[in-house]
Amino acid sequence: MYAKRLDNLPPYLFAQIDKLKSEKRAQGIDIIDLGVGDPDLPTPSHIVDSLCEAARDPSTHHYPDYTGMLEYREAVATWYKRRFNVSLDAKTEVLALIGSKEGIAHVPEAFVNPGDVVLATDPGYPVYKTSTLFAEGKLHELPLTEENNFLPDLDAIPKDVLKKAKLLFFGYPNNPTAATAPMSFFEEVVEFAKENNIVVVHDNAYSEIAFDGYKAPSFLQVDGAKEVGMEMHSLSKTYNMTGWRLGMAVGGEEVIAGLGRIKTNIDSGAFNAIQRAGITALTSSQQCVADSCKIYQERRDVLVSGLKSLGFDVPTPKATFYVWMRVNDSMKFAEKMLNEAGIVVTPGVGFGKNGDGYVRFAITRDVSRIKEAIDRMGRLNFE
Ligand SMILES: *Cc1c(COP(=O)(O)O)cnc(C)c1O
């Protein structure tokens, strides 16, 4: 019944984990879920109020503009200027997205012909791979290893692969490894893209979730970045708005127009009332973001010091709400955690084969639950 592209999809590990989790819950087991990359914190109330008000205004009830409300795109441009000192033309260099996942899922449709190579980091956000598959592109994985600080080695890509490469997906602060990238790496990517005629998609969903004074850069801060690509960003992680579905693609006019042409033929944009709330989020005080980061930072410290006290060797991330820890066998470790301690962590192999040997903890639960998780782990024998 189904098209081949559905058969070709890799098994969705996260659906399996969800199933196991529900089975345990049905047995009455108290599950501590450190698996989900979804903030447990609520959307700040001034943003919710803004949506309520906008939803009562009938002028928001119609089809939105395909590219997003001009006021929303202007708010994005203003935010980029203030936050990254990146200048964007709101009319041609900003596109509203129904969450950045939507943009990532559609971007290969605009740039990839069947058989073209798409470069994507592995481990990586699963949509890089599935969107490549849907566009009938050929995936070439760029391994992220601890030795390389979880940055891809662009020099290691074989010449014949490079010749056919059309698109590159990558993102820092990184999900799942929690690694950050220096500006020098972004500069290297711009050079690489120019030399090899590759469209770059930088996924910056976590730029605002940062600790200890670290400020994540934008890929567009590099001179010439706009000529080679775009950055996907989102209100989801920054303002605890995952359920609202609002994001943005920003970058060179030509690449943004390409993605826009696909979208025009598929969706009709994000609800105007949500875009208005998005304007409120981007243009009002950013204190709520600092407050969230403070909470995540405390949780990170409790988790990392707890894991260290149990003898695990684990790095302290500067950004994202994840902790990426080396283990022997990621599936076995995750199964043991669930079966013997009622703790959900995500096996790294779910993000690609180079993720095997790691698990990802999401610090999207409060400190008392993280402490409880450490206590439970202390009673396990990890040999
Ligand atoms: C959460 C996430 C996204 C997508 O978030 P949206 O809610 O669709 O904006 C994109 N990339 C990465 C790496 C993510 O973790």
Side-chain angles (χ1 to χ4, degrees):
M1 174 200 274
Y2 299 124
K4 277 208 195 76
R5 75 175 60 83
L6 288 198
D7 290 338
N8 291 344
L9 280 175
Y12 202 60
L13 184 74
F14 304 111
Q16 268 164 261
I17 295 172
D18 273 351
K19 190 165 159 259
L20 284 175
K21 204 160 71 181
S22 319
E23 281 170 16
K24 296 278 171 197
R25 284 215 170 101
Q27 291 163 26
I29 293 165
D30 172 34
I31 297 289
I32 303 176
D33 190 351
L34 303 178
V36 286
D38 186 352
D40 57 318
L41 306 167
T43 305
S45 57
H46 64 286
I47 301 171
V48 177
D49 290 344
S50 174
L51 170 71
C52 293
E53 195 182 317
R56 282 192 202 95
D57 174 354
S59 77
T60 65
H61 298 175
H62 304 283
Y63 283 121
D65 284 346
Y66 288 114
T67 53
M69 289 169 69
L70 183 57
E71 296 89 329
Y72 172 71
R73 287 178 287 143
E74 282 168 350
V76 169
T78 305
W79 184 82
Y80 255 79
K81 181 72 191 169
R82 201 179 53 222
R83 172 62 179 85
F84 299 114
N85 198 26
V86 166
S87 301
L88 294 166
D89 180 341
K91 288 204 178 74
T92 57
E93 296 178 330
V94 181
L95 182 65
L97 298 175
I98 309 170
S100 58
K101 181 180 185 179
E102 180 260 303
I104 293 163
H106 285 139
V107 86
E109 302 289 341
F111 301 101
V112 174
N113 285 313
D116 285 350
V117 168
V118 175
L119 308 169
T121 50
D122 176 302
Y125 186 56
V127 189
Y128 306 155
K129 286 183 193 174
T130 47
S131 64
T132 298
L133 230 118
F134 286 161
E136 294 174 51
K138 269 186 68 185
L139 186 78
H140 179 82
E141 290 150 352
L142 308 177
L144 301 185
T145 63
E146 213 161 311
E147 299 77 64
N148 280 336
N149 299 315
F150 300 108
L151 298 173
D153 181 359
L154 302 175
D155 296 330
I157 305 168
K159 286 276 173 298
D160 57 318
V161 172
L162 265 186
K163 249 189 241 146
K164 290 190 226 147
K166 195 63 209 293
L167 200 64
L168 163 66
F169 280 119
F170 78 121
Y172 295 89
N174 184 259
N175 175 15
T177 66
T180 56
M183 277 302 276
S184 58
F185 179 69
F186 288 175
E187 283 159 10
E188 193 186 320
V189 169
V190 171
E191 276 303 300
F192 166 83
K194 279 188 180 159
E195 257 165 46
N196 297 290
N197 248 318
I198 290 170
V199 174
V200 174
V201 179
H202 181 250
D203 182 0
N204 209 3
Y206 294 94
S207 73
E208 303 317 291
I209 312 300
F211 316 118
D212 309 320
Y214 175 71
K215 269 190 123 49
S218 161
F219 174 67
L220 299 184
Q221 279 169 254
V222 179
D223 280 339
K226 271 195 217 169
E227 288 149 45
V228 299
M230 68 178 95
E231 185 159 88
M232 299 294 183
H233 214 305
S234 167
L235 280 69
S236 287
K237 315 289 160 63
T238 308
Y239 304 104
N240 311 322
M241 287 173 71
T242 48
W244 297 52
R245 315 310 305 133
L246 188 61
M248 57 277 213
V250 294
E253 176 171 353
E254 214 180 341
V255 288
I256 292 296
L259 176 58
R261 279 170 67 189
I262 297 296
K263 280 177 55 56
T264 305
N265 286 285
I266 292 180
D267 65 68
S268 298
F271 182 24
N272 281 328
I274 289 181
Q275 292 189 58
R276 282 220 203 141
I279 296 168
T280 302
L282 292 167
T283 57
S284 46
S285 161
Q286 301 297 294
Q287 186 55 43
C288 57
V289 183
D291 294 344
S292 295
C293 289
K294 195 163 163 254
I295 292 169
Y296 291 132
Q297 185 170 322
E298 190 193 351
R299 294 173 178 181
R300 175 203 66 171
D301 291 343
V302 169
L303 179 63
V304 168
S305 64
L307 290 169
K308 282 187 173 157
S309 75
L310 298 176
F312 291 104
D313 179 20
V314 60
T316 304
K318 279 192 289 192
T320 77
F321 41 61
Y322 304 114
V323 170
W324 184 244
M325 186 173 88
R326 187 191 267 285
V327 296
N328 283 329
D329 177 321
S330 67
M331 281 304 281
K332 275 205 184 120
F333 186 94
E335 275 168 21
K336 187 182 179 77
M337 290 279 278
L338 183 59
N339 290 329
E340 296 176 28
I343 300 167
V344 179
V345 294
T346 308
V349 69
F351 301 99
K353 61 176 182 289
N354 294 288
D356 202 9
Y358 293 86
V359 290
R360 190 193 75 176
F361 293 83
I363 47 176
T364 49
R365 291 292 176 265
D366 66 27
V367 163
S368 68
R369 295 297 276 170
I370 294 172
K371 283 185 176 154
E372 166 75 19
I374 295 292
D375 285 348
R376 290 188 196 178
M377 284 178 75
R379 293 193 285 272
L380 299 186
N381 177 10
F382 290 102
E383 79 255 346

